[in-house]
Amino acid sequence: MPTRFSADDAPPHKRLALWQDIICDVYVQLDCSSDLGSSFHGSVSSGALGHALCSTVSSCAQRVARTPARIARAQQASVLFALGTKGHGGVTQDGREAVIRPGEFAFYDTTRPYELQFDGDFSQRILQVPRELIARRVRTEDLTATTFTSERPLDKLAYDFIASICELADRVDADTANRLTEQAVDLVAMAIADRLDGARPATSHRAAMLYRLKAHIQSRLHDPQLSVAGVAAALGISPRYVSDLFAADATSFQRYVLAQRLERCARDLAAPRQAGRQIGEIAFAWGFNDLSHFGRVFRERFGVSPRDYRHGRPTH
């Protein structure tokens, strides 16, 4: 069930102090100030979405800062995607400033200082994900504190998808939640890549096609006959174009398929509800057809055998 915190439950003179405790507890270590005194108000509801956290924050005029001192005490690295739903707020990071209005989003990185500024009542929906989820897909440093608007198709798609999956927080199982989060990060990565590479006129089309390509592959990982030629034919493109799309994404068709299959196998091996399934059954279900090969590539990827991974034995 979603967890709800409200500063309004405290006596007026204690609300701001309680609010700082709330946002530090829900998000990361932050400093908060406001000139509203006893008129201050605010509430946060949050729910888990696998490895991510979805929250809705509603409050009033204030300034929030993530300082070097706070960062030094941090135990985790996250990226927060803030979706505007009411009012507007500003975010400053890496020398840039962005304004987030309803229907727009921006993101900021908890490993570096940032400030949030709200001049009136506002509401935002926030998706907090482990930093490595986005960092392994695309470079983010050049676009922190940048407004992503509904005028750009990929931006709108990412906004709508994040808003939709946040409605499912604490309502779907962990496996489904993590898959949804991965898809959301894929969409944001596409929007970031499109913005960074905006000088190329075909970028939006290529980014959309790459997303379709990956989605098609992910839906057919169970098929041991999955091939470049088959995927290309299904999408109406050439095998060479498939290879070009993956090359631009710093990988290849074969590496991407193998990585996705290994991730699915690792997820199932670690899932308590899959404990009754044989290791070979899980491997075959995700498209592997040679257990010796599976065991070798699994160890190369995760540092332990599939059996040791299932039982939580440490890597060497």
Side-chain angles (χ1 to χ4, degrees), residues 152 154 190-210 241 245:
R152 302 175 71 99
L154 290 177
M190 288 168 55
I192 292 172
D194 180 47
R195 190 69 66 89
L196 291 174
D197 201 18
R200 290 170 55 186
T203 296
S204 295
H205 173 75
R206 288 174 64 90
M209 181 56 73
L210 179 61
Y241 190 35
L245 288 171

Side-chain angles (χ1 to χ4, degrees), residues 31-314:
D31 292 322
C32 180
S33 61
S34 175
D35 297 328
L36 293 180
S38 60
S39 299
F40 187 89
H41 62 88
S43 64
V44 174
S45 61
S46 64
L49 192 69
H51 298 310
L53 178 73
C54 293
S55 305
T56 299
V57 54
S58 299
S59 192
C60 53
Q62 61 192 273
R63 180 183 293 273
V64 178
R66 172 79 163 167
T67 64
R70 293 285 190 177
I71 293 170
R73 295 196 293 270
Q75 297 182 349
Q76 62 180 359
S78 302
V79 171
L80 282 73
F81 300 97
L83 282 62
T85 57
K86 175 185 175 183
H88 65 271
V91 54
T92 303
Q93 188 172 46
D94 298 327
R96 289 180 295 276
E97 296 184 29
V99 176
I100 308 171
R101 302 176 180 83
E104 302 174 344
F105 75 91
F107 65 89
Y108 36 98
D109 188 325
T110 65
T111 63
R112 299 188 302 283
Y114 63 79
E115 288 189 3
L116 308 177
Q117 175 72 45
F118 303 96
D119 295 328
D121 286 0
F122 71 94
S123 181
Q124 289 185 345
R125 180 162 284 163
I126 299 174
L127 176 67
Q128 179 178 345
V129 304
R131 186 178 185 273
E132 61 94 16
L133 280 186
I134 186 72
R136 71 189 187 206
R137 289 168 165 83
V138 69
R139 175 183 172 87
T140 62
E141 288 83 351
D142 296 330
L143 285 180
T144 49
T146 298
T147 305
F148 290 76
T149 74
S150 59
E151 296 177 0
R152 302 175 71 99
L154 290 177
D155 295 7
K156 185 177 188 305
L157 185 61
Y159 180 102
D160 290 344
F161 190 79
I162 292 173
S164 296
I165 66 171
C166 281
E167 295 288 345
L168 300 177
D170 283 332
R171 296 173 56 191
V172 294
D173 63 84
D175 291 345
T176 300
N178 286 329
R179 286 198 294 271
L180 290 171
T181 301
E182 291 277 355
Q183 291 172 359
V185 175
D186 276 342
L187 284 173
V188 172
M190 288 168 55
I192 292 172
D194 180 47
R195 190 69 66 89
L196 291 174
D197 201 18
R200 290 170 55 186
T203 296
S204 295
H205 173 75
R206 288 174 64 90
M209 181 56 73
L210 179 61
Y211 181 76
R212 286 182 59 203
L213 177 59
K214 288 181 175 181
H216 181 84
I217 290 170
Q218 289 170 13
S219 70
R220 289 161 177 78
L221 289 172
H222 61 278
D223 182 3
Q225 303 302 317
L226 187 65
S227 67
V228 172
V231 169
L235 295 180
I237 57 179
S238 70
R240 181 171 181 174
Y241 190 35
V242 171
S243 298
D244 287 347
L245 288 171
F246 276 119
D249 203 39
T251 186
S252 69
F253 175 85
Q254 290 79 11
R255 290 199 299 270
Y256 180 77
V257 170
L258 178 60
Q260 293 299 309
R261 283 175 169 161
L262 288 172
E263 290 291 340
R264 301 308 192 279
C265 288
R267 184 191 68 206
D268 287 355
L269 288 170
R273 65 179 184 175
Q274 304 280 359
R277 299 178 69 196
Q278 296 293 321
I279 291 175
E281 180 185 357
I282 291 173
F284 291 142
W286 288 112
F288 289 97
N289 54 16
D290 183 326
L291 286 183
S292 295
H293 170 70
F294 168 67
R296 184 173 65 257
V297 296
F298 191 95
R299 182 182 288 275
E300 289 174 356
R301 169 64 179 83
F302 295 103
V304 293
S305 69
R307 186 178 302 278
D308 287 347
Y309 187 92
R310 165 170 267 180
H311 294 293
R313 294 175 183 143

Side-chain angles (χ1 to χ4, degrees), residues 15-37:
R15 288 178 181 172
L16 183 58
L18 176 60
W19 181 248
Q20 177 155 313
D21 290 342
I22 289 172
I23 60 175
C24 286
D25 183 57
V26 174
Y27 299 114
V28 293
Q29 292 291 313
L30 300 166
D31 292 322
C32 180
S33 61
S34 175
D35 297 328
L36 293 180

